[in-house]
């Protein structure tokens, strides 16, 4: 099943970085904007943003380590957060730049938050969609309410069983997660579902993706507060109908993110940039408007 979809003006490229071959798509010119996908996705989850944002930005969207057409090194340790952020830093350098606007959704948001902490000099701006700051997540996981929502994190620690569950009935769990989690009917077409199933069916991809959770559980949750503050201007876009992550995870974040703007989107699920693409594109364009010359195509009400 092909997972290298393209459209007019979009280029599929590869970069040899940190011992892996990383696939990414690129379109447009201007300030570098890197979009990082989550689980169980790949670059395609940003399809509605690539065309819209590439009118003013150089948009680069990788398949992150372990996903789709990017290499899938073996072992849990290969997916520790420091390696994931180092991949982003190496990609920026591969593209001939010293800094970038970093945007991420879901697990891509986790990488984006941590990248901004570890590589502040490379983070021109930070944009995160429905992923809490790591310290806010650690705080939230001390409550029974968030622990109940995050049950799947503990299920993913089991050997082999999560992979078997996702492969069952032609990856039906992926379809349920996407379509079942979306607030708006029709957010995902049959072609979209086939694309996500095809990416998950790439050899080694499913175990690699779940190893992100295993690595985080083994190492990430041991990180102690205080967490260094993020100096970059930051936009957090939060869809309020996220069944796995409560809105309260966005509260009282100033100690970690002093220059923070939050845009809440009601009646929208975790898959926010696919469910409300025009509104998400407007928020991103507005937030980055001062970085580029020329009119903002989204200066209109949505």
């Amino acid at each position: 099943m092909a997972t290298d979809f393209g459209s007019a003006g979009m280029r599929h490229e590869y970069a040899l970085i940190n011992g892996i071959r990383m696939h990414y798509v690129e379109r447009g010119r201007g300030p570098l904007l890197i979009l990082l996908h989550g689980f169980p996705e790949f670059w395609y989850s940003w399809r509605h943003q690539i065309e819209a944002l590439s009118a003013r930005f150089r948009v680069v969207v990788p398949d992150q380590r372990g996903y789709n057409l990017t290499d899938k090194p073996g072992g849990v340790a290969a997916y520790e957060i420091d390696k994931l952020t180092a991949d982003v830093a190496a990609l920026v350098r591969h593209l001939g730049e010293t800094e970038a606007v970093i945007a991420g959704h879901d697990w891509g948001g986790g990488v984006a938050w941590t990248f901004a902490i570890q590589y502040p000099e490379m983070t021109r701006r930070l944009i995160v969609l429905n992923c809490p700051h790591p310290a806010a997540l650690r705080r939230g996981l001390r409550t029974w309410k968030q622990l109940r929502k995050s049950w799947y994190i503990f299920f993913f620690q089991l050997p082999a069983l999560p992979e078997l569950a996702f492969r069952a009935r032609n990856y039906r769990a992926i379809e349920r997660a996407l379509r079942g989690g979306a607030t708006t009917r029709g957010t995902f077409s049959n072609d979209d579902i086939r694309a996500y199933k095809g990416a998950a069916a790439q050899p080694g991809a499913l175990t690699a993706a779940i190893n992100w959770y295993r690595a985080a559980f083994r190492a990430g949750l041991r990180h102690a507060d205080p967490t260094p503050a993020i100096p970059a201007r930051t936009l957090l876009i939060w869809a309020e109908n996220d069944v796995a992550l409560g809105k309260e995870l966005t509260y009282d974040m100033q100690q970690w993110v002093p220059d923070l703007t939050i845009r809440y989107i009601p009646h929208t699920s975790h898959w926010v940039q696919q469910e409300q693409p025009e509104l998400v594109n407007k928020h991103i364009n507005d937030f980055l408007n001062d970085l580029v010359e020329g009119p903002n195509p989204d200066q209109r009400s949505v």
Side-chain angles (χ1 to χ4, degrees):
M1 187 178 300
T3 55
D4 58 347
F5 315 96
S7 64
M10 184 187 299
R11 301 187 302 279
H12 289 261
E13 307 285 356
Y14 287 87
L16 296 175
I17 57 173
N18 298 335
I20 66 169
R21 186 172 183 255
M22 173 175 281
H23 168 257
Y24 63 93
V25 299
E26 180 175 358
R27 179 172 177 170
R29 295 182 179 179
L32 179 60
L33 170 58
I34 293 181
L35 306 177
L36 303 173
H37 65 81
F39 173 92
E41 303 172 290
F42 62 113
W43 71 262
Y44 185 74
S45 67
W46 292 102
R47 62 196 177 281
H48 301 300
Q49 283 66 52
I50 294 171
E51 181 173 0
L53 298 176
S54 63
R56 302 199 300 164
F57 298 93
R58 181 187 182 189
V59 178
V60 173
V61 194
D63 287 329
Q64 294 197 80
R65 173 182 293 240
Y67 280 87
N68 193 38
L69 302 179
T70 289
D71 283 352
K72 303 154 187 66
V76 172
Y79 301 93
E80 293 173 351
I81 191 65
D82 291 351
K83 293 182 173 65
L84 305 176
T85 55
D87 287 347
V88 178
L91 180 60
V92 172
R93 298 186 191 105
H94 170 82
L95 295 167
E97 302 287 349
T98 58
E99 63 178 2
V101 177
I102 305 296
H105 167 255
D106 184 78
W107 247 119
V111 175
W113 283 122
T114 309
F115 182 89
I117 294 169
Q118 295 179 338
Y119 300 90
E121 74 287 354
M122 299 183 74
T123 309
R124 192 171 186 183
R125 294 278 174 87
L126 176 64
I127 303 169
V128 178
L129 285 66
N130 275 74
C131 178
H133 184 283
L137 179 59
R138 291 195 295 271
R139 180 180 64 189
L141 287 174
R142 300 185 188 115
T143 69
W144 177 242
K145 181 178 180 181
Q146 185 56 50
L147 275 173
R148 283 186 302 168
K149 292 182 176 183
S150 300
W151 65 269
Y152 58 92
I153 294 176
F154 304 97
F155 173 66
F156 284 168
Q157 306 312 308
L158 299 173
L161 186 58
E163 288 92 327
L164 290 173
F166 270 89
R167 289 192 187 99
R169 300 179 62 190
N170 187 29
Y171 298 88
R172 183 64 182 273
I174 290 177
E175 181 173 357
R176 284 202 309 267
L178 296 170
R179 281 184 166 155
T183 302
T184 304
R185 185 179 180 89
T187 296
F188 298 99
S189 69
N190 290 337
D191 286 343
D192 296 336
I193 297 300
R194 281 192 290 269
Y196 286 117
K197 289 182 178 182
Q202 295 293 315
L206 198 52
T207 292
I210 295 172
N211 277 345
W212 283 48
Y213 288 92
R214 292 167 176 149
F217 188 83
R218 296 180 189 183
L221 297 180
R222 293 200 301 268
H223 292 175
D225 293 330
T227 300
I230 292 174
R233 286 183 59 187
T234 301
L235 171 65
L236 177 60
I237 298 174
W238 197 271
E240 296 184 359
N241 282 21
D242 193 320
V243 298
L245 299 167
K247 184 179 177 181
E248 63 275 6
L249 293 172
T250 69
Y251 300 161
D252 301 320
M253 294 178 56
Q254 288 75 16
Q255 59 183 309
W256 306 305
V257 198
D259 193 351
L260 175 65
T261 299
I262 304 179
R263 297 285 182 247
Y264 293 108
I265 302 181
H267 314 300
T268 303
S269 77
H270 179 76
W271 315 111
V272 56
Q273 79 270 31
Q274 300 175 81
E275 192 167 337
Q276 293 281 358
E278 291 187 1
L279 187 52
V280 167
N281 294 346
K282 181 182 186 302
H283 286 326
I284 293 175
N285 262 318
D286 288 349
F287 179 67
L288 302 178
N289 195 43
D290 61 309
L291 298 185
V292 294
E293 298 179 357
N296 181 347
D298 286 312
Q299 287 294 344
R300 61 184 187 276
S301 61
V302 175

